[in-house]
Amino acid sequence: MKKRISKKFTILFVSLLLTVGIILACGGGDYFEDYINSFFNPYVSKSDHYATFYISGESSGYPEYYSGVHEFDSVNIDEWSVFFNSKVARTDLKNLVYKSRIGEIDTLIFYIKDNHYAIKPKLKNNSLLNFQDKVIAKEFLFYLGFAKRCEPFANYVPDWWDRDNADDPRKQTTAMQKLIDGGKKSFSNAKNINIRQRYLFQLVRLMYNAGDYDNCISFCGQYLNTFPLNNSIKYRTLGYLAGSHYKLKEYSKANYLYSVIYDQCDRMQYIAFQNFHPQEEGDWNESLALAKNTHEKTVLWQLLGIYADPLRAMKEIYALDPKSDLVDLLLTRAVNIDEGKFLTVTFYYDKDTTPNYELKKAKVNQELQTFIKQVAESKNSANPYLWDLCTGYLYTVSGDFKASETYLTKAVYEANNDRSVSDQVRMFRFVNKIELYERPSAKMEEDFAEELKWLKSDGDSRAKNVYAWALHRLSQKYHKFGDLVKAQCLDCIQGPGFYDDPQKMNSLIKLMDKPAKTNFETFILGVHPFSRANLFEYQAINLVYQHRLKEALAKLEACEGAGEETFSGDPFLIHINDCHDCDHLAFRGQTLTKRSFVKQMVALEVKTTKSSKEAASAYFNLGNGYYNITYYGNGRAFYQTPLKNEDDIYNCSKAEECYDKAMKLSTDPEFKAKCCFMAAKCEQNNFFNNKPKDFNGDFQAGNYFHLLDNYSQTNYYQDIIRECGYFKTYYH
Amino acid sequence: MDRSFYYWKTRFYLSNQERDYLSNLKIKKLYIRFFDIEYDEISKNPMPVGTIRFANKVPEGIEVIPVVYLTNKALQKTADGSIEVLTANLYQLVKSLAAQNAIKFTELQMDCDWSETTRTKYFRLLKLLKAELKNCKLTATIRLHQIKYNKITGVPPVDRGMLMFYNMGKISAKENQNSIFDKNDAAKYVSYIKKYSLPVDVALPLFSWGIHIREHKPVELLNNLTSDDFSNNANFTQNGQSYMASQSFFFRGFYFMKNDMVKIEEISPDLCQDAANMVAKELSSSSRSIALFNLDSLTLSRYEKKNIEKIYNTFR
């Protein structure tokens, strides 16, 4: 009895996908992958038997690699359980088949022959020993022993790094041949048909692994048909037969057999597909000729449809058998693939160009559209609703909304109001409504609010795609209508300059403040990611950088919650060497919010009109505040708002101006030195903000460094020399 | 200046004609791809693919430099902790292949189009490999974008680089653009070569390929096929440098849909010469290897010996 599906078996199947030949040294791979958008859910086709081949939203490819190593473990035990009429416990069978050693099997055989034979309790308690038919029990055990002897030749996983693979058991050709010869004898002598069949499987697999493809094929040819049983063993045997043909480059036979396995054995459906590889039209036609009946032909075409060409395959299958439901899977794939061309992907690859969300009617595959409609009209397919549904959808994309509605209605009716079909139709109808929307209408807005809410609550990924698209597309429409506020709410990325325009901002705030909002207005304000407080804060912060502090404060105070974010450090603290983390860690005082910061800045500004000593101090602190809200300061987060957090602010001119004024107003040389140095810092930063292209150095001594010479007698001067490396360099 | 060629097939076999060719051109070195390393989804490990088999010997007097091609994806998916094992395995396999085929090598070359995100792993691999190699030289292929943006991609810790002066941009479906070598694309990068901190050898293109195009988008590369395959097939109609499939069918293991295009991109001797001229200008005169990619009798039959001589002689 076979232990488990050979790892080699799977690796063989998978490794056939790796092309051997000239492998060019290019970047490869990334050129050919893409994300595709999709509104159409293939599950609507109810071809779930083929669900493995439904196209997911993320890629137009196939499911991830899977390993079939243990695919048949439980099926195997099921079949043995049936074989023993459920008289032998599953756990006992599992132990025998997957865990026992050859010695233990031999012991069991001896014990059955002579119940005085020494046996471990563990084995003695195995319910196989209670099985009435001892002849069968023995035959089973003999077979099991043989299978375990074959196993190493089937299970071997080569070390790909070791060219020799000296321990590859398949090199022991004599040993393998001995097993094959012995196995053939046992095969002939076996009385029970199930066990005979399993001997056949072991032999076929051994021959395959020995590279003896011709004998494998002739052996199968002789005996395969003598087993009418359609169990897992039959298909696994067929798999090796197909593999042998493939190795001998007999592609037509190989692919035909894979199609049979694909069709008849669920567990091998995917692996059979993975091995389907026609090379030339000639061998493909030969595969078709090998098909015994129409059904087998349609299966082959379905494989081709999944592998390469859904439309061609659909046409062929439909011509052979209009009632075949094999086309349904292909229809979903064809539509999903086409969607990749006519739907916009809602990613932003390029900030400078806004994608156009219109459905690309020119990209609809005309041939596909014609064919689908033809089948829909004929009404003789297995599932007419599906064809009506797709016809309706493609009419939506090509802009014939009346025709779309006709077919969508038919689809719902023919599907007997099936929920998933109705939901899909509802989505397409929504798309129709949006595309037909040519002037703003309160009535339509009510409807849109309803549909958007429904889509948002639906967990299905296609519903999410339609939802995302709808927002973008409606925004585009409202832009056209001139209603920039609604457009902005629906898709804030489409109007980048919006938040810098006071008029537009006021309109938006007006909408937010509107007492009796419509459902639509409420919904889109919920979509809009920024709150009222965010908007006021944004305006206020812009004003701060324009040095219009009083106006900034007024803005913040006009809206509750605006500017509540706190600073991580003290923005009025300044050092010779900037150290943001130090300031953040050291901070123990009362946390300043953006709002209270602006308030303090306003108060300082007032103080600058007072006596020169007070003014100097005020200017110095103002300088600190202005400095710390630049990129170089410890309060850089001040300019990072939800609306804009990418552009850093580097300009230190205002801070420099304040330090300069403080220096000039003061008479205290220590203080002046400090102001001078801080101004120097600003000057240096500004130099590097706009440094000339060919400048390669680390620093540039500016005016303030020269001015500092006037303060060479102060203590602070010594501090600077100690702490500032650049000044030390300059000084020397 | 050492005249060299790249050999990039999975079966090493030199015909007598090819041997004469190498001898007449006084080729000193062969950069031979020993294997690729790709990521195996099932075992979840990097593994060698397309390992070379030697069907006959390398000509006497020609130095062999084993090359290992590592995909960026394999690097990405290999865990940091597994780089050491990968390096050890890689080196073992190179050594055993060389030993089995009586090849002594004094240089090993890694070929990998690493990116910013795989830089750390790759450079670590190179360092580990260098330690294993001891007195043997370690070189790495360098693509133009890695020279221009070396602040981002870094300079690999190797003894020398092999500058691949081709495939600068993406594979293009456009009729008038040659994805293998385009002067305008190259011009954007050449000026950075001088400043590159690693001494470089140069690889120039001498190959052709077919690009399978569907609805103006490249779908796949058609390995092993040449324009003759298409011009001799009734199901393809010629259209300039391209061929159009007049129906849907299987051909040489590929599937072509009606109206699919096959764009053959070739490097003519003149174009290769242009490339040579362009890059030679940027290099100081010092000893280096000039390699042509790649050695293939079909390709060679298109080039006259004097053209190849001229290309090599551009670098003195």
Side-chain angles (χ1 to χ4, degrees), chain A residues 450-669:
Chain A
E450 215 29 64
E451 296 305 281
L452 286 167
K453 266 190 224 150
W454 168 69
L455 281 171
K456 191 172 179 190
S457 66
D458 189 325
D460 176 60
S461 69
R462 262 80 183 191
K464 287 194 172 68
N465 291 344
V466 176
Y467 175 77
W469 173 84
L471 293 177
H472 290 304
R473 186 71 176 121
L474 280 171
S475 177
Q476 216 175 9
K477 295 247 167 181
Y478 277 96
H479 265 113
K480 222 170 74 168
F481 302 157
D483 188 338
L484 302 176
V485 172
K486 289 202 177 117
Q488 191 68 18
C489 290
L490 285 157
D491 183 1
C492 62
I493 301 186
Q494 282 190 45
F498 186 92
Y499 303 106
D500 295 316
D501 183 326
Q503 216 179 4
K504 291 179 187 163
M505 282 286 246
N506 287 336
S507 305
L508 176 55
I509 292 167
K510 200 163 152 208
L511 179 64
M512 286 174 166
D513 292 344
K514 186 174 167 195
K517 298 186 191 55
T518 65
N519 285 328
F520 186 69
E521 285 166 342
T522 308
F523 188 87
I524 66 176
L525 283 170
V527 169
H528 184 249
F530 310 126
S531 65
R532 196 172 184 277
N534 289 150
L535 299 181
F536 276 91
E537 185 183 300
Y538 180 75
Q539 289 182 311
I541 289 173
N542 283 342
L543 287 166
V544 168
Y545 288 101
Q546 291 166 44
H547 322 129
R548 291 151 67 180
L549 295 169
K550 280 208 191 77
E551 289 173 66
L553 185 60
K555 274 284 175 191
L556 289 171
E557 289 179 335
C559 179
E560 199 184 311
E564 294 298 311
E565 238 180 279
T566 54
F567 280 81
S568 312
D570 182 350
F572 293 107
L573 206 58
I574 201 78
H575 314 283
I576 292 174
N577 287 315
D578 294 331
C579 174
H580 306 164
D581 290 336
C582 309
D583 289 354
H584 296 172
L585 277 170
F587 193 53
R588 295 273 179 273
Q590 190 185 30
T591 36
L592 271 175
T593 62
K594 289 186 183 181
R595 186 195 291 211
S596 46
F597 167 76
V598 177
K599 201 165 181 184
Q600 256 187 270
M601 293 287 276
V602 169
L604 283 168
E605 208 175 42
V606 168
K607 286 214 180 95
T608 60
T609 58
K610 303 280 193 310
S611 76
S612 49
K613 190 159 178 224
E614 240 188 294
S617 170
Y619 269 123
F620 182 74
N621 282 317
L622 264 174
N624 293 345
Y626 275 123
Y627 186 84
N628 276 320
I629 60 172
T630 67
Y631 173 81
Y632 302 100
N634 65 16
R636 166 194 311 176
F638 185 76
Y639 58 70
Q640 287 165 349
T641 68
L643 276 79
K644 193 195 255 190
N645 62 9
E646 294 143 6
D647 300 323
D648 292 305
I649 295 180
Y650 298 100
N651 192 336
C652 300
S653 304
K654 186 67 180 174
E656 188 185 318
E657 186 191 307
C658 290
Y659 288 130
D660 189 78
K661 288 206 173 108
M663 180 177 73
K664 292 199 168 100
L665 280 170
S666 171
T667 50
D668 172 6

Side-chain angles (χ1 to χ4, degrees), chain A residues 353-543:
Chain A
T353 59
T354 311
N356 181 351
Y357 295 98
E358 243 180 284
L359 303 173
K360 300 182 194 133
K361 73 161 100 164
K363 295 283 187 180
V364 173
N365 182 332
Q366 300 286 356
E367 222 191 306
L368 177 67
Q369 190 173 24
T370 308
F371 174 68
I372 296 176
K373 184 175 172 189
Q374 178 205 330
V375 175
E377 289 295 290
S378 69
K379 297 187 199 300
N380 63 355
S381 65
N383 293 302
Y385 79 88
L386 190 60
W387 300 86
D388 288 321
L389 181 65
C390 293
T391 308
Y393 180 32
L394 291 184
Y395 268 127
T396 296
V397 186
S398 35
D400 189 340
F401 305 106
K402 220 162 149 212
S404 169
E405 182 52 40
T406 310
Y407 283 93
L408 292 177
T409 311
K410 277 197 233 183
V412 173
Y413 173 73
E414 272 147 14
N416 285 322
N417 297 308
D418 172 271
R419 181 60 185 277
S420 63
V421 175
S422 302
D423 281 354
Q424 184 73 79
V425 166
R426 186 175 172 182
M427 280 187 236
F428 291 151
R429 282 190 170 133
F430 182 43
V431 175
N432 287 347
K433 284 181 206 166
I434 294 178
E435 288 303 300
L436 281 166
Y437 194 46
E438 285 310 317
R439 64 184 66 87
S441 140
K443 184 159 169 263
M444 288 310 293
E445 284 183 354
E446 245 337 271
D447 190 18
F448 289 155
E450 215 29 64
E451 296 305 281
L452 286 167
K453 266 190 224 150
W454 168 69
L455 281 171
K456 191 172 179 190
S457 66
D458 189 325
D460 176 60
S461 69
R462 262 80 183 191
K464 287 194 172 68
N465 291 344
V466 176
Y467 175 77
W469 173 84
L471 293 177
H472 290 304
R473 186 71 176 121
L474 280 171
S475 177
Q476 216 175 9
K477 295 247 167 181
Y478 277 96
H479 265 113
K480 222 170 74 168
F481 302 157
D483 188 338
L484 302 176
V485 172
K486 289 202 177 117
Q488 191 68 18
C489 290
L490 285 157
D491 183 1
C492 62
I493 301 186
Q494 282 190 45
F498 186 92
Y499 303 106
D500 295 316
D501 183 326
Q503 216 179 4
K504 291 179 187 163
M505 282 286 246
N506 287 336
S507 305
L508 176 55
I509 292 167
K510 200 163 152 208
L511 179 64
M512 286 174 166
D513 292 344
K514 186 174 167 195
K517 298 186 191 55
T518 65
N519 285 328
F520 186 69
E521 285 166 342
T522 308
F523 188 87
I524 66 176
L525 283 170
V527 169
H528 184 249
F530 310 126
S531 65
R532 196 172 184 277
N534 289 150
L535 299 181
F536 276 91
E537 185 183 300
Y538 180 75
Q539 289 182 311
I541 289 173
N542 283 342
L543 287 166

Side-chain angles (χ1 to χ4, degrees), chain B residues 216-232:
Chain B
H216 310 291
K217 278 215 189 113
V219 169
E220 62 193 340
L221 285 174
L222 304 168
N223 294 331
N224 285 352
L225 298 178
T226 65
S227 42
D228 287 340
D229 290 301
F230 299 99
S231 56
N232 292 337

